[in-house]
Amino acid sequence: MSYAFLTALGLSDIEEGAWNGSGPLATTSGETVDVYTPTDGSRIGTVRLATVADYESVLATAQERFKAWRSVPAPQRGEVIRLLGLALREHKAELGALISLEMGKIRSEGEGEVQEAIDICDFAVGLSRQLYGLTMHSERASHRMYEQWHPLGVIGIITAFNFPMAVWAWNAALAAVCGDTMIWKPSLKTPLCAIALQKIVDRVFGEAGHPGVMTTVVGTDAGVGTTMINDKRLPLISATGSCRMGKLVGTAVAARLGRSLLELGGNNAIIVDATADLDLVFRGTVFGAVGTAGQRCTSTRRLMVERPIARALAERMARAYETVRIGDPLESGVLMGPLIDDDAVRMFEAAVASAVEQGGEVLTGGVALRDRPGHYVRPTIVWSDKRLPISFEETFAPILYITPWDRLEDAIADQNDADQGLSSALFTNNLRHAEGFLSAAGSDCGIANINIGTSGAEIGGAFGGEKETGGGRESGSDAWRAYMRRQTCTINYGTQMPLAQGVEFL
Ligand code: NAD
């Protein structure tokens, strides 16, 4: 392997896929998966896949560790997460480069993703002293009532390829301070990111005397994935990925009356009115639509612009798109890397073909760059006077559909017509428009922004969306509650036994 940062992260050419917190287990399958960089299609490593038997072994450790970890005072659990945050800081550049190599986002976004993992560690440290319950006044004399929060158990974390570190960190940092232990099943498209993190976790938690709080199994969906979602011993499955996957996972977990935390697809729109600051619109939209090559759940897919300024804005954007440097995401100056694989390129081409068939006009892009190795496409703008059915599908690629509107309420209704409800934005300098967009009759999404694009959320707010996005909330605010069980306690410190609602008995 010719990348120094892989060596610095301790990654070998062949890695094991099962990690119980005290290093790798010798996997039992003999089956391997080769990992290729989308940058030029070359092999960057090989992982031995974990079997269901390996999963059982890792789970046994996580269950055993839970018995001790749940009783460690939460601020002490927070201290271990503080150390994890420090270790991530030490390796930020290498981890960011690994994300670029394995997933394809540019270096700055790769490092930004590691920063997100660091930020959530910091957040979790503070949170470890703030897992507050409420107290309430009892209706009975000499009684005290309160709520407290306890850890849930071993939780399952399933993550998508496009945020191969941050999404794990959102879950893992919070779950750990909440007192849970966990098993992570990363995407088979980005297993090296998971293994590099697990190596850091093993060192930090091992030195702190708590190995096995965070564990990883790299396995197939049909084997390890299906076993996890049907496993009653995992009280919570946190799953991030496509709506298709979420429906499968949600149904399986519900059938066993488990809890699921679903973070699924998005189809996010920006609405622009004629009062908007067009420089802000321009910057927010290009980042939202072209950033990560359109492979964010919050990527901007639809831009709806008030008619008098719509076409001119579309043409300005198209001119800017022509200057976007596409190439190796590790090279400085490159703004857009490759798509994850060839399937993604084919889906991009199919979506462009559908858009044209449905009456869309390709203003720029629309083609894959097949003159080089890797999975590159041109960022694409499709103009259409009317909404196109294809624009309501989430194509994980840099395609932006631009349409004009005449009445703001119609634009908001159009935005809300998507099956998903993740992120949304309005650019305006009109206070009534802004407040209307944020009102109950406005955006129906989990995230609603004014004069900020749809993508690039901070960790402090609860992150997630409605409808087919799955309804889950992760990261900041009170998202921690998903990882704990609530207990209502009533204490009678008197000498009588009054019953609630004044019921008389005995
Ligand atoms: P995907 O659905 O193909 O895979 C996601 C994960 O689910 C992977 O780990 C995969 O192995 C696993 N999986 C798939 N089928 C499974 C099964 N039957 N049992 C158990 N696990 C199974 O998604 P992807 O292509 O990796 O990621 C892109 C999608 O993720 C997009 O739709 C994007 O919008 C969404 N996403 C959402 C968020 C969010 O926070 N809302 C964040 C990132 C990505």
Side-chain angles (χ1 to χ4, degrees):
M1 273 188 277
S2 54
Y3 297 94
F5 59 82
L6 294 183
T7 317
L9 290 168
L11 286 169
S12 321
D13 192 45
I14 300 186
E15 287 287 352
E16 297 291 343
W19 295 74
N20 69 2
S22 302
L25 301 183
T27 42
T28 53
S29 71
E31 220 188 311
T32 58
V33 64
D34 286 333
V35 187
Y36 300 95
T37 170
T39 300
D40 63 9
S42 61
R43 192 186 70 83
I44 53 171
T46 296
V47 179
R48 290 201 181 95
L49 289 178
T51 60
V52 172
D54 302 323
Y55 162 79
E56 285 294 335
S57 163
V58 171
L59 176 61
T61 305
Q63 281 184 303
E64 195 50 40
R65 291 309 311 179
F66 175 66
K67 291 181 194 154
W69 186 244
R70 66 184 170 191
S71 299
V72 173
Q76 287 181 31
R77 300 194 291 248
E79 170 59 12
V80 187
I81 295 300
R82 189 182 71 79
L83 298 171
L84 177 62
L86 290 180
L88 295 179
R89 279 181 172 86
E90 264 172 50
H91 294 289
K92 180 174 168 181
E94 293 95 337
L95 290 170
L98 172 58
I99 294 174
S100 298
L101 182 70
E102 197 178 26
M103 183 273 157
K105 63 181 70 171
I106 61 170
R107 194 188 282 270
S108 162
E109 290 184 277
E111 289 189 11
E113 177 165 350
V114 183
Q115 186 59 47
E116 206 169 332
I118 294 166
D119 291 345
I120 197 72
C121 286
D122 289 355
F123 181 89
V125 176
L127 182 66
S128 70
R129 292 180 185 270
Q130 300 173 76
L131 301 170
Y132 299 137
L134 295 172
T135 63
M136 43 294 272
H137 288 267
S138 171
E139 66 189 48
R140 289 167 282 181
S142 303
H143 279 55
R144 185 165 76 82
M145 275 176 81
Y146 69 99
E147 283 177 357
Q148 59 180 351
W149 294 84
H150 287 311
L152 268 184
V154 185
I155 68 157
I157 303 172
I158 296 173
T159 55
F161 79 86
N162 65 327
F163 275 91
M165 295 191 187
V167 170
W168 164 80
W170 291 355
N171 284 282
L174 295 201
V177 298
C178 288
D180 300 321
T181 58
M182 65 209 77
I183 298 190
W184 178 19
K185 194 208 78 59
S187 165
L188 278 186
K189 295 174 185 171
T190 50
L192 298 183
C193 284
I195 292 170
L197 284 176
Q198 184 66 46
K199 287 180 185 229
I200 293 172
V201 160
D202 282 4
R203 178 167 58 74
V204 170
F205 278 77
E207 284 171 9
H210 298 291
V213 170
M214 296 179 177
T215 67
T216 295
V217 282
V218 180
T220 61
D221 295 341
V224 165
T226 304
T227 306
M228 273 177 84
I229 63 180
N230 289 298
D231 193 337
K232 275 192 163 186
R233 294 166 294 180
L234 303 181
L236 170 70
I237 297 285
S238 171
T240 302
S242 58
C243 299
R244 181 201 62 80
M245 177 279 290
K247 286 174 189 170
L248 272 171
V249 172
T251 310
V253 177
R256 62 176 172 88
L257 298 182
R259 281 196 212 171
S260 53
L261 202 179
L262 300 176
E263 296 285 354
L264 310 175
N267 187 334
N268 317 291
I270 290 179
I271 301 175
V272 180
D273 76 12
T275 71
D277 179 331
L278 293 185
D279 287 331
L280 295 188
V281 172
F282 178 75
R283 282 156 62 193
T285 310
V286 175
F287 175 62
V290 175
T292 325
Q295 299 171 106
R296 287 186 181 218
C297 50
T298 53
S299 287
T300 310
R301 313 225 173 262
R302 294 173 291 149
L303 180 65
M304 296 181 247
V305 189
E306 195 164 0
R307 191 176 297 275
I309 58 165
R311 183 72 190 194
L313 179 63
E315 285 170 5
R316 176 180 170 192
M317 302 254 320
R319 282 194 298 278
Y321 267 45
E322 304 281 336
T323 66
V324 168
R325 210 172 128 202
I326 303 163
D328 182 340
L330 286 167
E331 241 175 60
S332 71
V334 167
L335 271 191
M336 200 184 93
L339 296 184
I340 186 69
D341 55 22
D342 210 43
D343 279 352
V345 175
R346 278 195 289 273
M347 283 191 255
F348 161 86
E349 290 175 318
V352 173
S354 296
V356 171
E357 214 171 278
Q358 292 167 10
E361 176 192 354
V362 176
L363 292 188
T364 182
V367 290
L369 298 171
R370 296 205 181 274
D371 58 339
R372 62 197 82 180
H375 312 295
Y376 296 93
V377 301
R378 283 211 181 282
T380 299
I381 293 179
V382 176
W383 166 271
S384 166
D385 209 46
K386 285 191 264 166
R387 60 186 247 178
L388 303 175
I390 185 70
S391 70
F392 284 80
E393 284 173 32
E394 184 195 39
T395 305
F396 230 46
I399 306 174
L400 181 68
Y401 301 96
I402 306 186
T403 48
W405 55 264
D406 296 302
R407 292 180 349 135
L408 182 59
E409 49 274 43
D410 294 339
I412 294 175
D414 241 16
Q415 180 214 261
N416 291 347
D417 244 1
D419 288 335
Q420 307 89 341
L422 181 51
S423 187
S424 60
L426 170 67
F427 280 77
T428 183
N429 280 314
N430 180 320
L431 180 66
R432 290 198 178 109
H433 286 180
E435 291 293 341
F437 183 72
L438 300 176
S439 75
S443 165
D444 67 357
C445 293
I447 297 168
N449 296 332
I450 301 294
N451 295 334
I452 292 178
T454 56
S455 130
E458 299 177 22
I459 60 99
F463 180 92
E466 303 301 330
K467 303 188 290 186
E468 289 194 9
T469 302
R473 290 296 185 278
E474 283 178 3
S475 194
S477 186
D478 63 354
W480 60 271
R481 293 177 177 207
Y483 305 90
M484 302 198 84
R485 62 184 169 87
R486 183 196 312 237
Q487 189 169 63
T488 303
C489 307
T490 310
I491 299 160
N492 177 0
Y493 58 90
T495 55
Q496 306 299 309
M497 181 59 78
L499 298 177
Q501 296 88 43
V503 171
E504 303 265 358
F505 206 80
L506 284 183

